């Protein structure tokens, strides 16, 4: 009953009943106790597959069932040795399959944890970020636009806060929230305007609330079962391979039946043929394929994590390799997001500021002379707005190292909590003696109209002894539109067009040298004046001046952009910043080619889709854009056939991130909403991480092609040798147990090692592949069939030669079968090195992939064991073979590689053209 009344309580009642405090929140120890008592703030998950079920699932496989049937028949016929060996192989197979799937499942789960949401809370008086699942009742949580509400909260403060609650209330329009008491007792959820519900999202504004319910006790928890999203973790390729697998089953069974019938017609014993047929079917079906694909994907995804790219949606790993355009934010992704104000312009005066980074020491100069600010009211006003219309906090911390050494003169290290743009202004104000602390006693913040990327400005309403003051800062071109006056030579004068032009020009001069420019304005409010909405507040302002801040490009980005260009991927900058700033930085980074276009949000708005489509291929910079423009850009690029990777961090970026082929969000500065919409999270917010992810994406796809090539060519070879022998009326070239052995040892281990193969050197010098490309494209199908046929014929040849020499004796047959077995194994083990390159075996260092060398060596040793260990010979029906036979084995096994090598030299087969075309036209990318 109590819980229904949270909305009726006043702040102090609320905090008392939850044992919390508005300013210092819960003590960490109290929070830990509550967590222990009430459990994590999580919605209970759907059932996880237990390892035992996973293991049992392995035996449900169709082919395993056939094998088990065969075992039963062998057992009934008294062939106990056969039956036991088959059982051993089935168990081994199941264990391998289980290990593969278990590992894949575990890494997928670890991935989910990595992208788990966090929350900003006050604990013990400090603002800290904790995992959302560690929230407890009584925690004071801060929310801002783009955050997902991490638990049920009762608001104690709300600034223009709007929350989208459609998942809970069905109300599709975001609702305004407040912190006032609501008297009524019974209220539908939609009317509980002072409560924030877990899982809903903040679309605008900021708020502070105290946690009243967590986990399954929340409103969302009550309906958790209904809304839990189950996102498909299967990639299109996995899906296609599954279908291919089904087709191959039919083909393999058809061929096996033909082999069995042909064998029986040629006088082979029915039981022997049945067992051979079953083994052949088992061997021919690449049942391990899906598991190896999953492993290759999962391991690739883990390599990506090491390179700071977290994959949220597995299918995007495939799409990454197809990306032909990367649309990137500027601030923080291409640049360092470490801003320092270097220039100030005020009423026609050009000033320079000294000092570096966040260290608040420095001075302001006019014509090279340091200024005394005591009597300079204009600059003081600008500093006042910088300090008060600001949420960033500068923190001085001694480096741990120095603390330990107790050095006499520890160098202070300054860090920033909050938005770097605001941080730069905090530093400016502190540097010049107008820190927020020094103004705190004089001005109290009454209200905030938070920054958003549509208005591109922020305001605060302050009360002071003399009345009320509104301070605003924002993008100068847009802020000037709200100003009627300007502070010029210390006086407030009308903001005439001439003066406006002067201000605009000053801003452009700063922007041309890659500075990010902010404008400042203020006005005093009459006591009767209403100031509830932004529209009521932000008008008739007095323009004060401009501050220009540097934000240096990230060092590694220029190279990454050059890599993209070589890889046929176009880089486009999309930013809310001024066009000239954007162009200057694009120039420094090599984004903009000669003749490339920079477009502003206004120009974009004035165009229809057709006009945009005509320009989109040659546009490299979009400036002063709003989030909805991003969606149009993505769509236009997609219409032109591009596969688009798009970054975003704000709440309004989510639609564009979702619409992009690869939506990318920022791990550090990104909002929850943008992260949830994205397929890839950059844990370091860095552009070059996108390029690394694309490289991995391409590598993973090529590795999948490599082991498909290996596995299927092996299977074709195995079927063909049996098929041709039966058609030619020859005895069985391989006994069933040998076929199963080849399938398990020779096929399995090296294929897995191929899945983690290093990428070829020129991987990032090729055009992106088409998203519609068939896995067998680029002659892979031909390579599989031709190699399979060659392996089949050569194995059969070696068998036939040895058989003829044996003179028809039983021992001669066993020797011939052993030679065929050794030839097949050797041919495959040579082939596996061929598969590493799209060209030929000689193209790459065969010892580079250590796993592969190990897999091949162990396969080889195991084969030798089967041949030469006496105890194993009767099981595997082998006899030891001598030097002459080995020569035959090596020649027969080497022929396929030799023939294909000559073929590739003659036909330059498989050579992919490198892409040196620039700028990249739409024609160069097939979709
Ligand atoms: P990107 O999309 O590349 O990250 P951005 O971060 O520069 O671009 P926005 O954050 O939308 O884009 O900023 C656009 C403009 O709004 C800036 O050029 C600046 O003038 C202004 N601005 C940015 N941050 C603030 C802020 N905290 N308060 C007021 N104005 C701001």
């Amino acid at each position: 009953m109590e819980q229904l009344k949270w909305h009726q309580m006043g702040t102090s009642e609320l905090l008392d009943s939850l044992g919390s405090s508005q300013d210092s929140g819960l003590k960490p120890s109290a929070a830990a106790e509550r967590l222990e008592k009430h459990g994590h703030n999580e919605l209970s998950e759907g059932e996880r597959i237990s390892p035992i079920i996973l293991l049992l699932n392995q035996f449900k496989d169709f082919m395993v069932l056939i094998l088990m049937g065969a075992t039963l028949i062998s057992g009934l016929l008294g062939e106990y040795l056969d039956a036991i060996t088959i059982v051993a192989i089935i168990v081994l197979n199941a264990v391998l399959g289980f290990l593969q799937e278990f590992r894949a499942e575990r890494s997928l789960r670890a991935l989910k944890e990595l992208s788990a949401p966090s929350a900003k809370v006050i604990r013990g008086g400090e603002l800290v970020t904790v995992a959302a699942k560690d929230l407890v009742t009584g925690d004071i949580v801060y929310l801002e636009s783009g955050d997902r509400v991490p638990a049920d909260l009762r608001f104690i403060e709300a600034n223009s806060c709007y929350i989208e609650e459609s998942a809970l209330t069905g109300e599709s329009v975001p609702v305004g929230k407040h912190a006032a008491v609501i008297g009524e007792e019974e209220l539908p959820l939609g009317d509980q305007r002072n409560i924030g519900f877990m899982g809903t999202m903040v679309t605008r504004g900021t708020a502070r609330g105290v946690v009243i319910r967590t986990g399954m006790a929340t409103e969302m928890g009550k309906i958790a079962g209904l809304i839990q999203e189950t996102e498909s973790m299967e990639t299109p390729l996995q899906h296609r391979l599954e279908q291919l697998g089904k087709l191959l089953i039919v083909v393999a069974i058809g061929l096996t039946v033909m082999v069995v019938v042909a064998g029986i017609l040629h006088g082979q014993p029915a039981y022997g043929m049945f067992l051979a047929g079953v083994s052949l079917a088992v061997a021919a079906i690449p049942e391990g394929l899906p598991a190896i694909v999953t492993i290759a994907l999962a391991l690739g995804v883990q390599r990506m994590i090491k390179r700071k790219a977290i994959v949220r949606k597995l299918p995007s790993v495939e799409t990454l390799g197809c990306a032909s355009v990367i649309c990137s934010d500027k601030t923080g992704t291409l640049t360092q997001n470490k801003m320092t104000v270097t220039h100030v312009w005020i009423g026609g005066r050009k000033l320079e500021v000294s000092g570096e980074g966040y260290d608040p020491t420095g001075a302001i100069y006019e014509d090279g002379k340091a200024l005394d600010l005591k009597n300079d009211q204009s600059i003081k006003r600008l500093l006042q707005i910088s300090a008060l219309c600001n949420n960033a906090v500068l923190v001085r911390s001694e480096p741990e190292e120095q603390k330990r050494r107790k050095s006499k003169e520890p160098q202070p290290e300054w860090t920033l909590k909050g938005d770097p743009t605001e941080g730069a202004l905090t530093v400016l104000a502190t540097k010049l003696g107008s820190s927020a602390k020094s103004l705190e006693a004089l001005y109290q913040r009454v209200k905030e109209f938070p920054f958003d990327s549509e208005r591109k400005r922020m305001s605060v309403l302050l009360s002071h002894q003399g009345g009320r003051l509104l301070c605003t800062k924002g993008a100068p071109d847009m802020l000037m539109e709200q100003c009627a006056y300007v502070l010029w030579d210390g006086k407030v004068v009308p903001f005439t067009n001439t003066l406006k032009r002067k201000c605009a020009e000053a801003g452009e001069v700063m922007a041309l040298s890659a500075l990010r420019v902010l404008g400042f304005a203020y006005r005093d409010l009459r006591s009767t004046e209403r100031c509830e909405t932004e529209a009521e507040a932000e008008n008739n302002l007095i323009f004060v001046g401009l501050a220009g801040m540097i934000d240096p490009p990230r060092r590694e980005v220029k190279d990454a952009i050059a890599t993209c260009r070589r890889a046929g991927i176009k880089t486009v900058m999309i930013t809310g910043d001024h066009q000239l700033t954007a162009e200057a930085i694009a120039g420094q980074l090599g984004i903009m080619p000669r003749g490339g276009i920079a477009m502003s949000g206004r120009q974009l708005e004035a165009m229809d889709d057709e006009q945009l489509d005509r320009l989109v291929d040659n546009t490299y910079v979009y400036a002063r854009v709003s989030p909805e423009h991003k969606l149009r850009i993505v769509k236009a690029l997609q219409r032109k056939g591009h596969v688009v990777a798009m970054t975003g961090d704000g709440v309004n970026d989510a639609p564009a991130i979702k619409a992009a082929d690869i939506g990318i969000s920022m791990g550090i500065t990104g909002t929850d909403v943008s992260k949830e919409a994205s397929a890839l999270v950059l844990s370091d917010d860095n552009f070059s991480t996108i390029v690394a992810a694309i490289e991995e994406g391409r590598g993973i796809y090529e590795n999948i092609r490599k082991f498909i090539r290996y596995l299927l060519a092996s299977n074709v070879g195995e079927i063909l040798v049996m098929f041709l022998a039966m058609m030619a009326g020859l005895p069985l070239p391989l006994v069933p147990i040998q076929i199963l052995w080849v399938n398990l040892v020779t096929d399995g281990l090296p294929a897995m090692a191929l899945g983690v193969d290093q990428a070829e050197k020129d991987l990032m010098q090729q055009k992106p592949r088409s998203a519609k490309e068939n896995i067998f494209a680029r002659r892979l199908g031909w390579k599989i069939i031709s190699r399979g046929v060659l392996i089949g014929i050569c194995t059969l040849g070696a068998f036939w030669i040895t058989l003829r020499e044996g003179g028809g004796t039983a021992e001669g047959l066993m020797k011939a079968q052993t030679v065929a077995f050794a030839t097949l194994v050797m041919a495959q083990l040579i082939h596996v090195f061929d598969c590493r390159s799209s060209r030929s075996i000689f193209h790459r260092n065969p010892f580079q992939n250590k796993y592969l060398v190990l897999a091949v060596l162990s396969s080889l040793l195991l084969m030798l064991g089967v041949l030469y260990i006496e105890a194993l010979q009767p099981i595997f029906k082998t006899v030891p073979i001598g030097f002459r036979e080995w020569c035959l084995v090596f020649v027969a096994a080497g022929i396929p590689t030799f023939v294909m090598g000559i073929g590739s030299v003659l036909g330059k087969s498989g050579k992919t053209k490198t892409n040196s075309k620039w700028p990249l036209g739409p024609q160069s990318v097939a979709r």
Side-chain angles (χ1 to χ4, degrees):
M1 183 184 152
E2 181 101 342
Q3 284 195 352
L4 283 175
K5 293 185 184 168
W6 290 116
H7 59 268
Q8 295 176 304
M9 290 187 190
T11 305
S12 51
E13 238 178 315
L14 181 72
L15 290 166
D16 283 349
S17 68
L18 289 165
S20 186
S21 133
Q22 182 158 356
D23 297 323
S24 54
L26 292 176
K27 283 199 188 111
S29 54
E33 246 168 56
R34 290 185 189 192
L35 189 66
E36 177 81 12
K37 193 162 161 208
H38 302 296
H40 284 290
N41 172 36
E42 286 175 316
L43 300 184
S44 62
E45 255 190 57
E47 265 179 54
R48 270 186 199 159
I49 305 178
S50 81
I52 296 188
I53 303 281
L54 206 62
L55 184 64
L56 289 180
N57 274 350
Q58 305 299 321
F59 295 96
K60 270 183 11 203
D61 190 274
F62 176 60
M63 289 328 292
V64 174
L65 289 180
I66 292 192
L67 260 186
M68 293 208 276
T71 319
L72 193 70
I73 294 175
S74 310
L76 289 178
L77 291 176
E79 299 279 348
Y80 298 119
L81 203 56
D82 271 3
I84 291 170
T85 321
I86 297 177
V87 166
I89 288 184
I90 293 176
V91 170
L92 209 64
N93 212 0
V95 169
L96 269 183
F98 164 75
L99 285 179
Q100 287 173 351
E101 280 187 30
F102 186 66
R103 191 157 177 195
E105 159 97 18
R106 221 181 31 189
S107 28
L108 291 183
R109 198 153 359 109
L111 270 187
K112 270 194 171 172
E113 301 244 313
L114 263 180
S115 47
S118 57
K120 296 176 277 288
V121 294
I122 299 218
R123 291 253 175 101
E126 295 231 356
L127 184 63
V128 289
T129 304
V130 300
K133 69 177 174 33
D134 292 339
L135 283 184
V136 293
T137 49
D139 264 330
I140 309 281
V141 175
Y142 273 88
L143 292 177
E144 56 189 350
S145 138
D147 284 348
R148 206 166 264 289
V149 180
D152 281 2
L153 313 170
R154 165 65 209 278
F155 291 115
I156 50 179
E157 184 189 326
N159 301 304
S160 310
C161 180
Y162 285 81
I163 295 194
E164 206 263 300
E165 302 184 327
S166 60
L168 210 57
T169 61
E171 174 66 59
S172 59
V173 187
V175 290
K177 292 284 176 178
H178 60 73
V181 172
I182 305 177
E184 277 167 73
E185 190 175 328
E186 293 302 328
L187 269 187
L189 293 183
D191 291 342
Q192 296 185 13
R193 295 298 181 92
N194 55 10
I195 306 271
F197 300 105
M198 180 189 207
T200 58
M201 81 193 184
V202 185
T203 58
R204 277 194 62 195
T206 54
R208 207 148 52 104
V210 50
V211 175
I212 50 173
R213 292 182 288 258
T214 61
M216 291 307 281
T218 60
E219 292 300 332
M220 206 51 114
K222 291 185 193 156
I223 56 163
L226 301 177
I227 54 137
Q228 242 170 34
E229 301 164 45
T230 41
E231 227 165 73
S232 155
M233 287 303 255
E234 195 179 57
T235 78
L237 180 63
Q238 280 176 303
H239 185 67
R240 284 205 301 267
L241 284 180
E242 220 164 77
Q243 283 176 333
L244 174 77
K246 283 185 191 146
L247 180 74
L248 287 178
I249 290 185
V250 177
V251 174
I253 292 180
L255 284 173
T256 309
V257 171
M258 281 167 74
V259 171
V260 173
V261 172
I264 295 175
L265 288 181
H266 280 100
Q268 299 282 344
Y271 166 69
M273 278 319 292
F274 163 75
L275 217 51
V278 170
S279 317
L280 192 59
V282 171
I285 291 160
E287 74 284 348
L289 208 59
I292 302 184
V293 171
T294 311
I295 288 271
L297 285 169
L299 291 179
V301 161
Q302 277 172 2
R303 278 199 304 275
M304 285 194 194
I305 294 174
K306 282 203 191 112
R307 297 178 78 173
K308 308 249 176 350
I310 298 163
V311 174
R312 290 192 66 252
K313 296 175 186 162
L314 205 52
S316 68
V317 175
E318 273 168 43
T319 332
L320 267 172
C322 311
S324 62
V325 178
I326 307 175
C327 296
S328 172
D329 281 347
K330 172 179 72 68
T331 312
T333 314
L334 296 169
T335 65
Q336 297 179 9
N337 209 3
K338 285 202 181 112
M339 319 238 186
T340 317
V341 176
T342 56
H343 291 77
V344 170
W345 181 93
I346 203 155
R349 295 158 65 193
K350 292 179 199 153
L351 311 172
E352 280 170 38
V353 184
S354 65
E356 266 180 27
Y358 296 139
D359 188 348
T361 45
I364 188 159
Y365 300 84
E366 187 167 16
D367 298 327
K369 269 186 267 153
L371 284 182
D372 177 14
L373 299 181
K374 239 182 252 148
N375 301 315
D376 206 323
Q377 292 310 321
S378 309
I379 299 181
K380 274 190 160 171
R381 179 64 85 178
L382 188 139
L383 296 176
Q384 180 193 42
I385 304 171
S386 295
L388 294 172
C389 184
N390 198 322
N391 291 320
V393 185
L394 199 58
V395 189
R396 182 186 195 152
S397 60
E398 284 174 21
E400 285 303 309
E401 180 69 4
Q402 286 172 354
K403 259 193 214 164
R404 254 188 285 126
R405 281 204 223 129
K406 295 214 167 32
S407 141
K408 273 189 193 139
E409 270 182 288
Q411 291 283 310
E413 195 177 73
W414 295 92
T415 50
L416 181 81
K417 281 195 175 164
D419 172 28
T421 305
E422 298 195 345
L425 298 174
T426 306
V427 173
L428 175 77
T430 315
K431 233 180 228 180
L432 304 178
S434 290
S435 67
K437 255 211 152 53
S438 66
L439 299 169
E440 216 170 50
L442 302 174
Y443 296 92
Q444 288 83 44
R445 192 186 279 198
V446 179
K447 199 171 182 62
E448 177 186 335
F449 299 105
F451 172 77
D452 74 53
S453 41
E454 300 278 345
R455 278 159 57 239
K456 298 202 186 342
R457 59 177 171 266
M458 159 189 178
S459 300
V460 291
L461 179 65
L462 303 152
S463 76
H464 59 106
Q465 265 191 335
R468 290 183 302 161
L469 172 73
L470 184 89
C471 292
T472 307
K473 69 177 194 317
D477 37 341
M478 302 173 79
L479 180 62
M480 276 195 277
E481 288 166 12
Q482 314 303 318
C483 296
Y485 306 93
V486 62
L487 200 59
W488 203 276
D489 288 335
K491 288 189 213 81
V492 176
V493 296
F495 209 3
T496 59
N497 283 341
T498 321
L499 291 181
K500 276 191 179 164
R501 213 168 28 249
K502 282 191 180 169
C503 291
E505 276 166 15
E508 282 169 14
V509 170
M510 286 188 191
L512 270 175
S513 34
L515 297 183
R516 178 179 178 84
V517 192
L518 255 82
F520 302 84
Y522 74 100
R523 80 180 167 99
D524 290 306
L525 265 78
R526 291 184 307 277
S527 55
T528 51
E529 201 173 339
R530 266 178 66 89
C531 187
E532 287 308 311
T533 64
E534 288 136 9
E536 282 168 353
E538 295 169 342
N539 60 63
N540 276 318
L541 300 174
I542 304 164
F543 192 79
V544 178
L546 305 168
M549 47 188 86
I550 48 163
D551 177 17
R554 285 178 181 266
R555 234 171 277 136
E556 58 285 13
V557 163
K558 196 170 178 182
D559 284 344
I561 288 172
T563 306
C564 281
R565 190 161 45 227
R566 284 193 294 274
I569 304 165
K570 173 180 162 181
T571 309
V572 176
M573 177 195 281
I574 302 186
T575 175
D577 222 336
H578 194 283
Q579 182 164 338
L580 294 175
T581 313
E583 275 183 68
I585 293 194
Q588 288 175 6
L589 290 172
I591 288 181
M592 181 87 111
R594 219 172 296 136
I597 301 172
M599 193 186 284
S600 72
R602 285 226 170 110
Q603 289 169 320
L604 181 68
E605 214 147 82
M607 278 178 209
D608 60 22
D609 282 350
E610 237 170 76
Q611 288 167 312
L612 179 60
D613 286 357
R614 269 200 296 277
L615 296 177
V616 76
D617 263 317
N618 199 27
T619 305
Y620 292 82
V621 172
Y622 295 88
R624 276 284 187 261
V625 289
S626 304
E628 76 265 21
H629 294 143
K630 285 189 168 182
L631 188 62
R632 277 193 72 196
I633 299 168
V634 169
K635 295 238 158 102
L637 283 165
Q638 287 175 333
R639 278 196 298 274
K640 295 294 260 181
H642 286 289
V643 174
V644 186
M646 162 74 88
T647 70
D649 46 15
V651 56
N652 301 330
D653 290 338
I657 293 181
K658 262 197 188 136
D661 300 275
I662 306 148
I664 303 170
S665 64
M666 303 298 146
I668 305 171
T669 56
T671 52
D672 292 348
V673 177
S674 64
K675 284 185 202 163
E676 280 166 32
S678 68
L680 191 74
V681 184
L682 308 180
S683 62
D684 60 353
D685 291 11
N686 191 337
F687 176 84
S688 28
T689 304
I690 306 176
V691 184
I694 290 182
E695 190 179 348
E696 288 292 348
R698 286 187 176 193
I700 292 171
Y701 185 80
E702 287 311 316
N703 282 353
I704 291 177
R705 274 171 53 96
K706 286 177 198 171
F707 62 68
I708 286 185
R709 174 178 167 187
Y710 173 67
L711 275 183
L712 293 192
S714 302
N715 289 357
V716 169
E718 287 155 26
I719 292 204
L720 209 71
V721 69
M722 298 291 277
F723 184 70
L724 292 179
M726 292 306 100
M727 289 303 163
L730 294 172
L732 279 179
L734 297 164
V735 296
I737 209 78
Q738 291 169 350
I739 299 176
L740 289 177
W741 174 264
V742 171
N743 181 47
L744 187 72
V745 179
T746 323
D747 290 359
L749 290 179
M752 268 198 266
L754 277 180
V756 292
D757 200 27
Q758 294 84 352
E760 286 193 78
K761 272 208 193 79
D762 61 355
L763 187 73
M764 289 301 271
Q765 278 159 25
Q766 294 168 13
K767 280 193 293 188
R769 69 166 206 278
S770 154
K772 285 196 184 140
E773 183 188 282
N774 187 299
I775 187 86
F776 297 111
R778 286 179 275 144
R779 299 171 61 91
L780 191 73
W782 159 248
K783 282 182 193 165
I784 290 171
I785 304 262
S786 54
R787 174 60 71 123
V789 168
L790 277 172
I791 291 180
I793 291 177
C794 290
T795 307
L796 190 66
F799 172 69
W800 184 69
I801 293 172
T802 324
L803 189 69
R804 230 182 31 171
E805 284 174 358
T809 60
E811 201 182 320
L813 175 60
M814 263 173 97
K815 193 180 218 177
Q817 283 171 331
T818 309
V819 166
F821 174 61
T823 309
L824 188 65
V825 170
M826 289 305 297
Q828 292 188 4
L829 293 185
I830 296 173
H831 181 216
V832 76
F833 289 103
D834 248 342
C835 294
R836 294 187 62 228
S837 170
S838 52
R839 296 182 187 94
S840 78
I841 195 166
F842 307 109
H843 222 85
R844 303 191 69 186
N845 171 6
F847 302 109
Q848 189 187 15
N849 182 345
K850 290 190 188 68
Y851 297 108
L852 187 63
V853 174
L854 264 177
V856 167
L857 274 182
S858 44
S859 290
L860 207 60
L861 279 179
L862 286 169
M863 179 192 67
L864 290 178
V866 165
L867 255 62
Y868 292 102
I869 295 175
E870 260 176 44
L872 295 179
Q873 287 163 354
I875 299 178
F876 288 93
K877 318 273 189 310
T878 53
V879 288
I881 53 173
F883 181 70
R884 246 175 67 85
E885 284 80 24
W886 273 114
C887 289
L888 178 63
V889 166
F890 275 111
V891 170
I895 288 175
T897 294
F898 184 69
V899 172
M900 298 291 280
I902 291 188
S904 90
V905 170
L906 291 182
K908 292 230 177 311
S909 68
K911 188 162 164 71
T912 347
K913 264 191 252 156
T914 57
N915 180 68
S916 55
K917 203 166 157 219
W918 172 256
L920 184 76
Q923 313 83 331
S924 57
V925 180
R927 191 176 157 93

